[in-house]
């Protein structure tokens, strides 16, 4: 038989486009449209409904950037349409772009009842099926004219549209047609039949009979369509396709659990306030679709987004809660937002689950067993323990499929964290969290699935996301046709929990992946928007202090505990850890507001801390000065979590001139030489007679690289950035300021000022760096070349640290050329190491070189990433003044690194109080390896004390934890939600404390009532 395959395929494409799809709406009539616009922020629904409107015609420009317009749409159904299905098609001026990245609308009835959302792939509203004729149509549309930041068609171009202050006043859209239409369901079903079969057909093997069977059936169907009377012949065409659509899938077919989904970024190319409306629009759409499609199931994560609907759109929330109660609108994930997981600190990552799960429990009585993070940029190795401690056992993500160098070897596996905790993990092989049920996607999922032969199931999050929109009726229709269709994977709508239960049952012993799930992409998110990152770190530290001192003041001074304030602040901080805010990949508006929010929260937390410490110190004008220590380790005579009267001590040694230029900072433990360039050429450990700086090298070296990635400007730094760079060695000023050496440098349009000092009683060089940054597409690093031979190094992560290689033996190791740390990086040889600690940076790289000649040895260089200057999506990223604190700690053990990291982030506070005052800690441990990460009162307001601790050195540790004023004999071990663990052995009470025996990196939460 002649091969006419391409002829039939081309025919199908044109006939669908030009004849069959237009025939879905064979008869139309225009609607009357009026408009009212506000240039300010969105107004309440009642105000928008009552606003005075003026007529507007199709083709009229409308919509200021980030503005809101209210359209009033009216009309009546023609009498001759009686007995037919009628819809309205409401085109706000949509472009072919994906939903969520342009104008959007939410339709209301005159009484304010929401109907559904509008976007370019879902612009209809059902009037009646059937109608009687004469029905009156009266709707209002709240329309957002959000700019399309990639509307030029050229991605990643700098644009002023990312902030209302710079976006101008040019109308963004041109109104399309708004009309009533007859909806021909037979023709629409023919479109679905042909799309499913056409998409499936081209994915099947050319040498297989099934492809040709479909091709011939499609040819017959097209023959049956009278192109001059599509509506009259559509059923005949459908009849020609019935046989191939009825052929069932084979028993070996891959099984796909479709989950209705709309991954909505809590902020990204739109501000937080617009996300509130995006969520309401999508939730309205999905509850409407649930009413129409009995098999459909929709899942939504991010408790914050549910809370927004509850607060701002209670009428939408009522529909959501009804659908949740029916089991069809499924809260999933159990986190406050889909956060970044690399940069949030230990407590913040824990509180994501605490606040997320508690919201779902209190609102719906539902507790999700899954962490749901489809779009997060890699996963820290401490996360499995946190997931388990929150009472969950499963994880879903898709983003690792974006890795550019190595293909991850599994789609379903067990992920093991640093403490040995494991979670059952799934990566959907459809490779999208915005699946559209397209044949190519379903075929790709089946081919791509790496567990063939041992497992058969995968999950497909189905619906438009990022900017929202959700699942469409077309996606549901396609899924129905693929429920059992020969040549395709089988598709069934299921809740995430149902998928995971079946996947675990068929694959009880999956392969194990140990350590972080590193995304080989988007590495620059560890550095972009330094102001946002500093705000996050500072907020985390201030919350640690506020909870500690508020709990101590409640126990010691009967001061009321600020439950409401801390709950609200935690939720705000958690919101800003969303995976496009904290990573620095949102528009200028988002980061401007984030900086303002962090400043406001800092002031509020400082007030809580000051009030609690004042209550503890007592009033004593002219009294002694108390030192409050929030860190989990003692500071000299000041205990961890307590306060003592300040005794005389030297803050730092004084610089002395260095022969040949520069200065020397020295105490009995450390001698630091700073040369005439302001660079550290020696950091000599006097205790072990060991030099930290590599021979002929200099530390505290600022290095500048060009930074123009191939795409994703704010997200990516590509490996080739290292090919070109310059050392900033020219010094504009070098002198002494107090007990510090002051170094100033000027480069490009920027200026750096550094203060270097050595404490009188510590083996540590403190480096305080201020950068007035005005570069573009540059990457600034701070380098420490160290005379240490290390094949691996440690980076702090949640509740411990993770080891990474310093070499590049394999492509997996090479790909980790930029990585994340929290408060420290530590490298060592047996018996001696060096720590580099920080108070606000996350990105870093570690490399090694082998020296030749008389100074043969290995140099391991640690570089902290300070600043970038990408131009998309924020063209002014990081312009302005930034401050960083780092410390170099020669001779440091891993325990020293832990201690110094906390010291840098939790500085001491001094308060004048009663002359003999001292504040005893509520909690102490007798083993520095057991670190207290939280001291707080229980969230249920019972007055119980909650203490969280973890083993921080990576080994086994036994410790007695003494807790004053609370009943240690009634201590219980709890999960993160402060609920007793049913299968946990009661803690052993002994010697006025609780005895713990912890395995490496184990985290434990204790709850104790008042004594």
């Amino acid at each position: 038989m002649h091969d006419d395959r391409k002829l039939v395929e081309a025919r199908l494409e044109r006939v669908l486009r030009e004849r069959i799809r237009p025939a879905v709406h064979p008869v139309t009539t225009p609607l009357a449209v009026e408009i009212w616009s506000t240039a300010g922020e969105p107004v309440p629904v009642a105000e928008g409904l009552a606003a005075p409107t003026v007529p507007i015609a199709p083709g009229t420009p409308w919509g200021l950037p980030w503005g809101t317009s209210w359209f009033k749409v009216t009309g009546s159904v023609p009498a001759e349409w009686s007995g037919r299905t009628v819809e309205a098609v409401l085109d706000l001026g949509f472009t072919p772009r994906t939903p969520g990245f342009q104008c959007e609308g939410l339709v209301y009835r005159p009484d304010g009842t929401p109907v559904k959302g509008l976007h370019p792939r879902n612009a209809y509203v059902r009037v009646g099926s059937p109608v009687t004729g004469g029905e009156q149509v009266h709707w209002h549309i709240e329309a957002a004219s959000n700019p399309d930041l990639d509307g030029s068609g050229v991605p990643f171009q700098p644009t002023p549209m990312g902030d209302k202050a710079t976006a101008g006043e040019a109308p963004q859209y041109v109104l399309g047609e708004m009309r009533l239409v007859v909806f021909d369901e037979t023709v629409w079903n023919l479109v679905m039949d042909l799309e499913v079969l056409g998409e499936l057909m081209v994915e099947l093997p050319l040498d297989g009979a099934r492809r040709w069977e479909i091709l011939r059936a499609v040819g017959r169907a097209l023959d049956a369509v009278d192109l001059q009377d599509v509506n009259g012949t559509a059923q005949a065409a459908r009849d020609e396709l019935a046989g191939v659509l009825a052929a069932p899938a084979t028993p070996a077919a891959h099984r796909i659990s479709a989950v209705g989904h709309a991954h909505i970024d809590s902020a990204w190319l739109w501000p937080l306030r617009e996300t509130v409306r995006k969520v309401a629009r999508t939730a309205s759409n999905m509850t409407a679709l649930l009413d129409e499609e009995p098999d459909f199931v929709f899942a939504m994560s991010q408790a914050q987004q549910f809370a927004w609907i509850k607060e701002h759109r209670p009428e939408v929330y009522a529909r959501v809660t009804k659908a949740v109660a029916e089991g069809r609108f499924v809260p999933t994930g159990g986190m406050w937002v889909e956060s970044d997981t690399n940069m949030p600190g230990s407590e913040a990552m824990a509180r994501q689950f605490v606040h997320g799960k508690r919201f779902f429990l209190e609102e719906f009585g539902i507790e999700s067993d899954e962490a749901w993070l489809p779009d997060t940029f890699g996963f820290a190795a401490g996360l499995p323990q946190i997931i388990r401690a929150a009472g969950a056992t499963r994880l879903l993500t898709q983003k690792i499929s974006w890795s550019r160098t190595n293909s991850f070897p599994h789609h379903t596996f067990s992920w093991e964290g640093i403490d040995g905790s494991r979670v059952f993990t799934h990566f959907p092989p459809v490779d999208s969290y915005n699946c559209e049920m397209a044949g190519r996607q379903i075929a790709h999922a089946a081919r791509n699935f790496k567990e063939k032969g041992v497992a058969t199931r995968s999950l497909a999050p189905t619906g438009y996301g990022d900017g929202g929109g959700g699942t469409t009726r077309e996606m549901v229709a396609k899924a129905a046709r693929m429920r059992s269709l020969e040549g395709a994977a089988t598709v069934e709508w299921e809740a995430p929990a149902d998928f995971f239960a079946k996947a675990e049952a068929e694959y009880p012993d999956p392969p194990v992946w140990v350590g972080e799930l590193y995304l080989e992409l988007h590495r620059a998110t560890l550095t972009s928007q330094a102001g946002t990152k500093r705000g996050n770190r500072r907020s985390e530290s201030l919350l640690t202090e506020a909870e500690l001192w508020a709990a101590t003041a409640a126990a010691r001074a009967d001061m009321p505990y600020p439950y409401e304030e801390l709950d609200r602040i935690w939720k705000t901080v958690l919101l800003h850890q969303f995976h496009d805010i904290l990573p620095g990949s949102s528009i200028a508006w988002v980061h401007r507001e984030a900086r303002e929010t962090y400043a406001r929260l800092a002031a509020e937390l400082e007030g809580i801390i000051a009030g609690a410490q004042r209550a503890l110190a007592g009033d004593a004008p002219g009294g002694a000065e108390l030192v409050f220590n929030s860190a989990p380790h003692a500071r000299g005579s000041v205990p961890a979590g307590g306060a003592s009267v300040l005794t005389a001590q030297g803050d730092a040694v004084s610089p002395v001139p260095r022969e040949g230029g520069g200065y020397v900072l020295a105490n009995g433990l450390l001698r630091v030489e700073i040369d005439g360039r302001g660079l550290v050429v020696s950091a000599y450990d006097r205790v072990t007679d060991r030099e930290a700086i590599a021979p002929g090298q200099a530390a505290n070296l600022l290095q500048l690289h060009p930074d123009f990635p191939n795409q994703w400007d704010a997200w990516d730094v590509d490996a080739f950035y290292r090919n070109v760079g310059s050392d900033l060695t020219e010094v504009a000023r070098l002198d002494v300021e107090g007990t510090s050496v002051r170094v100033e440098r000027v480069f490009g349009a920027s200026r750096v000022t550094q203060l270097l000092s050595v404490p009188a009683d510590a083996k540590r060089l403190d480096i305080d760096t201020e950068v007035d940054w005005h570069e573009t597409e540059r990457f600034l690093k701070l380098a420490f070349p160290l005379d240490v031979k290390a094949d691996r190094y440690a980076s702090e992560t949640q509740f411990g640290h993770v080891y990474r290689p310093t070499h590049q033996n394999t492509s997996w190791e090479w790909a980790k050329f930029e990585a994340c740390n929290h408060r420290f990086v530590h490298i060592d040889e047996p018996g001696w190491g060096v720590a580099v600690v920080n108070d606000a940076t996350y990105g870093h790289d570690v490399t090694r070189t082998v020296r030749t000649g008389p100074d043969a040895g290995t140099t391991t260089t640690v570089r902290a990433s300070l600043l970038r200057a990408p131009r998309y999506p924020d063209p002014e990223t990081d312009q302005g003044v930034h401050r960083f604190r780092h410390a170099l700690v020669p001779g440091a053990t891993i325990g020293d690194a832990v201690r110094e990291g906390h010291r840098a982030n939790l500085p001491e506070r001094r308060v004048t109080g009663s002359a003999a005052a001292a504040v005893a800690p509520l909690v102490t441990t007798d083993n520095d390896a057991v670190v207290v990460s939280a001291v707080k009162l229980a969230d249920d307001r019972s007055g119980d004390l909650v203490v969280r601790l973890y083993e921080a050195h990576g080994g086994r540790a036994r410790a007695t934890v003494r807790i004053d004023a609370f009943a240690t004999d009634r201590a219980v071990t709890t999960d993160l939600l402060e609920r007793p663990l049913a299968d946990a052995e009661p803690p052993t009470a002994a010697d006025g404390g609780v005895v713990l025996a912890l395995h490496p990196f184990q985290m434990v939460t204790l709850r104790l009532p008042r004594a």
Side-chain angles (χ1 to χ4, degrees):
M1 191 171 189
H2 297 298
D3 184 355
D4 60 349
R5 174 177 54 85
K6 292 183 179 179
L7 191 68
V8 176
E9 291 170 358
R11 181 189 181 194
L12 171 63
E13 191 276 331
R14 184 178 184 189
V15 172
L16 263 175
R17 182 182 69 247
E18 296 186 19
R19 292 294 187 269
I20 302 179
R21 289 194 188 102
V24 171
H25 299 147
V27 186
T28 73
T29 188
L31 290 162
V33 185
E34 298 180 359
I35 187 174
W36 173 78
S37 298
T38 173
E41 287 299 284
V43 300
V45 172
E47 184 176 341
L49 295 174
T53 55
V54 296
I56 183 173
T60 304
W62 71 277
L64 296 178
W66 303 111
T68 300
S69 295
W70 283 83
F71 293 94
K72 182 168 71 174
V73 181
T74 57
S76 60
V77 177
E80 61 269 24
W81 290 6
S82 177
R84 307 183 78 173
T85 298
V86 175
E87 297 179 342
V89 175
L90 307 174
D91 182 359
L92 297 173
F94 298 126
T95 72
R97 280 267 283 159
T98 303
F101 297 91
Q102 53 179 294
C103 57
E104 302 173 66
L106 181 55
V107 180
Y108 292 90
R109 296 184 180 90
D111 64 359
T113 304
V115 180
K116 68 187 292 287
L118 298 177
H119 63 69
R121 313 288 171 83
N122 196 341
Y124 73 93
V125 179
R126 181 64 60 89
V127 176
S129 180
V131 296
T132 58
E135 287 90 343
Q136 296 301 302
V137 172
H138 185 174
W139 291 314
H140 297 260
I141 306 170
E142 181 189 23
S145 48
N146 302 331
D148 182 352
L149 271 66
D150 284 331
S152 66
V154 181
F156 316 120
Q157 294 300 299
T159 173
M161 305 304 291
D163 197 328
K164 194 172 183 179
T166 59
E169 297 185 354
Q172 296 297 293
Y173 298 97
V174 175
L175 186 66
E177 292 186 352
M178 296 197 178
R179 52 204 171 106
L180 288 176
V181 301
V182 169
F183 177 75
D184 189 324
E185 191 166 358
T186 301
V187 176
W188 182 83
N189 275 306
L190 176 60
V191 172
M192 295 299 99
D193 293 345
L194 289 170
E195 286 188 357
V196 167
L197 290 171
E199 292 166 357
L200 171 62
M201 175 175 64
V202 298
E203 298 293 334
L204 294 172
L206 273 173
D207 58 358
R210 178 62 171 166
R211 178 162 184 166
W212 295 93
E213 289 170 359
I214 295 174
L215 185 81
R216 296 304 167 214
V218 167
R220 292 192 301 272
L222 296 177
D223 290 341
V225 175
D226 181 348
L227 299 185
Q228 308 308 313
D229 183 17
V230 173
N231 300 88
T233 56
Q235 186 57 54
R238 291 201 73 201
D239 293 342
E240 294 293 341
L241 299 173
V244 289
L245 283 168
T250 65
H254 183 65
R255 304 175 188 180
I256 291 179
S257 296
V259 179
H261 188 240
H263 164 67
I264 301 178
D265 287 310
S266 289
W268 180 26
L269 302 181
W270 45 85
L272 287 167
R273 66 92 152 144
E274 191 56 34
T275 313
V276 174
R277 301 200 295 178
K278 284 178 175 288
V279 174
R281 289 189 284 260
T282 297
S284 296
N285 260 348
M286 294 303 94
T287 52
L289 190 60
L290 287 168
D291 289 341
E292 297 171 9
E293 301 289 349
D295 293 333
F296 177 56
V297 177
F298 180 77
M300 190 169 95
S301 72
Q302 305 192 72
Q304 170 69 86
Q305 296 189 356
F306 284 84
W308 276 333
I309 308 175
K310 181 181 181 182
E311 178 182 358
H312 297 282
R313 290 290 191 270
E315 65 282 4
V316 177
Y317 196 65
R319 290 166 57 176
V320 168
T321 54
K322 178 177 179 292
V324 170
E326 294 168 351
R328 300 184 60 212
F329 194 117
V330 182
T332 192
M335 296 175 68
W336 190 247
V337 295
E338 290 180 11
S339 73
D340 180 77
T341 75
N342 285 311
M343 291 175 282
S346 302
E347 278 303 310
M349 199 73 257
R351 304 303 173 92
Q352 286 285 352
F353 288 91
V354 169
H355 287 284
K357 293 199 112 187
R358 184 170 291 136
F359 182 91
F360 288 155
L361 281 165
E362 292 176 352
E363 290 292 315
F364 309 120
I366 288 173
E367 182 165 9
S368 172
D369 197 29
E370 304 86 36
W372 185 272
L373 294 166
D375 191 29
T376 295
F377 309 152
F379 299 88
L383 187 58
Q385 177 173 208
I386 298 170
I387 293 172
R388 299 292 302 219
T393 63
R394 301 157 172 170
L395 168 68
L396 179 132
T397 185
Q398 179 273 322
K399 199 69 171 191
I400 298 297
S401 70
W402 286 39
S403 286
R404 292 295 173 83
T405 305
N406 299 284
S407 176
F408 196 80
H410 313 295
H411 281 112
T412 303
F413 61 100
S414 184
W415 179 30
E416 181 179 315
I418 55 174
D419 74 312
S421 295
R422 292 181 177 180
V423 292
F424 187 84
T425 304
H426 181 67
F427 293 170
V430 72
D431 282 349
S432 174
Y433 49 81
N434 296 325
C435 177
E436 300 175 37
M437 280 293 131
R440 58 177 173 77
Q441 294 176 314
I442 302 305
H444 174 75
R447 285 195 303 264
N448 189 37
F449 188 54
K450 292 185 169 70
E451 272 56 57
K452 296 183 190 77
V454 290
T456 65
R457 298 178 181 276
S458 70
L459 185 144
T462 302
Y464 294 112
D466 291 322
T471 318
T472 65
R473 63 182 176 183
E474 288 77 15
M475 297 174 193
V476 176
K478 290 185 176 185
R481 286 159 173 80
M482 290 185 285
R483 187 176 183 89
S484 180
L485 179 62
E486 184 183 353
T490 65
V491 177
E492 182 178 7
W493 294 105
E494 289 192 301
D498 295 329
F499 160 75
F500 272 107
K502 293 175 181 178
E504 285 181 293
E506 76 166 0
Y507 204 19
D509 190 23
V512 177
W513 182 271
V514 179
E516 68 184 326
L517 294 171
Y518 180 92
L519 176 64
E520 297 171 352
L521 193 72
H522 293 357
R523 303 167 181 89
T525 57
L526 303 173
T527 305
S528 296
Q529 297 287 359
T532 299
K533 290 172 170 57
R534 170 167 284 281
N536 173 73
R537 181 76 69 86
R538 187 182 182 209
S539 297
E540 290 180 349
S541 297
L542 289 172
L543 278 162
T544 297
E545 293 189 80
E547 288 183 337
L548 168 65
W549 299 120
T552 306
R556 302 269 188 239
D558 291 326
M559 184 176 180
Y561 190 79
Y563 291 103
E564 290 89 354
E565 294 90 337
L566 291 172
D567 180 79
R568 172 177 45 78
I569 293 170
W570 262 119
K571 288 174 179 173
T572 304
V573 172
L574 298 178
L575 166 60
H576 285 80
Q577 291 177 341
F578 178 76
H579 66 252
D580 275 308
I581 304 180
L582 179 54
S585 47
S586 288
I587 56 174
W589 188 345
V590 173
H591 292 290
R592 171 174 54 80
E593 286 191 334
R595 293 189 294 270
E596 295 166 356
T597 298
Y598 284 131
R600 184 177 69 252
L601 296 182
E604 190 170 359
L605 288 167
E606 291 282 5
I608 293 172
I609 293 165
Q613 291 182 341
R614 168 56 52 208
L616 291 165
D619 290 323
E625 192 171 49
L626 290 179
V627 177
F628 282 81
N629 176 21
S630 304
H633 303 91
R635 279 188 167 95
S637 62
V638 185
S644 299
V645 175
L646 181 69
T647 56
Q649 64 182 46
D651 288 334
V653 300
S654 297
V656 299
R658 172 180 176 268
E659 184 178 350
Y663 297 92
V664 175
L665 298 164
N667 59 24
L669 305 172
L670 180 67
R671 184 179 189 275
V672 174
E673 293 187 36
I674 302 164
D675 72 4
R677 302 169 298 171
L679 301 177
V680 175
V681 293
S682 175
Y684 193 78
D685 180 356
R686 288 177 157 177
V687 177
T688 62
D689 292 328
R690 174 77 182 259
E691 175 62 59
I693 308 302
Q697 302 290 307
N700 189 42
L701 176 63
L702 291 163
Q703 296 179 311
L704 192 65
H705 296 273
D707 185 16
F708 190 66
N710 289 343
Q711 57 181 350
W712 298 106
D713 294 38
W715 293 258
D716 284 359
V717 56
D718 290 331
F720 53 72
Y721 90 91
R722 298 175 294 183
N723 298 346
V724 179
S726 57
D727 295 342
L728 303 181
T729 59
E730 296 296 322
V731 63
R733 177 180 173 184
L734 179 65
D735 56 19
V736 174
E737 183 175 301
T739 57
S740 300
V741 175
R742 181 185 180 95
V743 183
E744 290 189 15
R745 305 186 194 280
V746 177
F747 60 96
S750 303
R751 176 179 290 271
V752 176
T753 302
Q754 293 184 301
L755 296 177
L756 284 70
S757 60
V758 170
D761 56 355
K763 195 163 43 175
R764 183 181 75 239
L765 169 64
D766 290 325
I767 303 170
D768 191 336
T769 302
E770 183 178 279
V771 186
D772 190 3
W773 179 249
H774 297 284
E775 304 307 301
T776 298
E777 294 167 354
R778 295 288 187 271
F779 195 6
L780 185 64
K781 293 265 190 174
L782 180 63
F784 299 88
L786 305 172
D787 190 12
V788 178
K789 182 183 184 300
D791 295 328
R792 66 175 190 170
Y793 72 97
S795 295
E796 188 185 34
T797 188
Q798 292 97 2
F799 298 113
H801 52 267
V802 62
Y803 285 102
R804 299 188 184 97
T806 60
H807 56 76
Q808 298 178 356
N809 283 357
T810 70
S811 59
W812 294 88
E813 292 146 358
W814 175 86
K816 294 182 181 181
F817 58 80
E818 186 79 5
C820 183
N821 70 281
H822 287 183
R823 288 168 289 213
F824 70 79
V825 168
H826 180 261
I827 64 171
D828 67 349
E829 298 173 357
W832 196 84
V834 182
V836 177
V837 304
N838 73 83
D839 77 332
T841 58
Y842 296 92
H844 70 277
D845 68 270
V846 178
T847 55
R848 65 197 297 272
T849 58
V850 176
R851 306 186 297 268
T852 59
D855 292 326
T858 300
T859 299
T860 303
T861 301
V862 177
R863 298 199 306 166
S865 303
L866 302 187
L867 289 163
R868 301 181 67 238
R871 301 183 65 207
Y872 180 86
D874 177 4
E876 299 295 320
T877 300
D878 279 336
Q879 302 300 296
V881 177
H882 302 272
R883 189 174 182 184
F884 308 94
R885 291 188 179 93
H886 291 84
L888 179 69
V889 190
T893 64
I894 195 72
D896 295 328
V898 172
R899 183 188 67 251
E900 293 297 338
H902 284 290
R903 178 205 60 79
N905 286 268
L906 295 166
E908 65 185 28
R909 295 177 181 268
R910 302 185 180 189
V911 179
T912 301
S914 303
V919 179
L922 288 183
V923 182
T924 60
T925 72
D926 61 0
N927 186 341
D928 276 354
V930 179
V931 170
V932 177
S933 69
V935 176
K936 60 187 288 293
L937 295 193
D939 291 344
D940 64 5
R941 308 192 182 195
S942 62
D944 290 357
L945 186 72
V946 172
V947 180
R948 193 147 30 250
L949 316 93
Y950 69 101
E951 195 290 314
H953 293 183
R956 292 186 179 272
R958 187 177 180 87
T960 299
V961 183
R962 290 184 171 80
I963 303 172
D964 190 35
F966 291 83
T968 55
D969 61 335
R970 287 189 283 157
V972 294
T973 304
T974 74
D975 65 6
L976 291 179
L977 276 70
E978 301 167 6
R979 303 172 298 192
L981 294 173
D983 57 350
E985 290 289 331
T988 302
D991 194 21
V994 174
V995 178
L996 297 178
L998 303 180
H999 57 68
F1001 300 129
Q1002 183 181 0
M1003 176 260 288
V1004 171
T1005 303
L1006 299 175
R1007 179 170 179 153
L1008 307 93
R1010 288 294 295 266

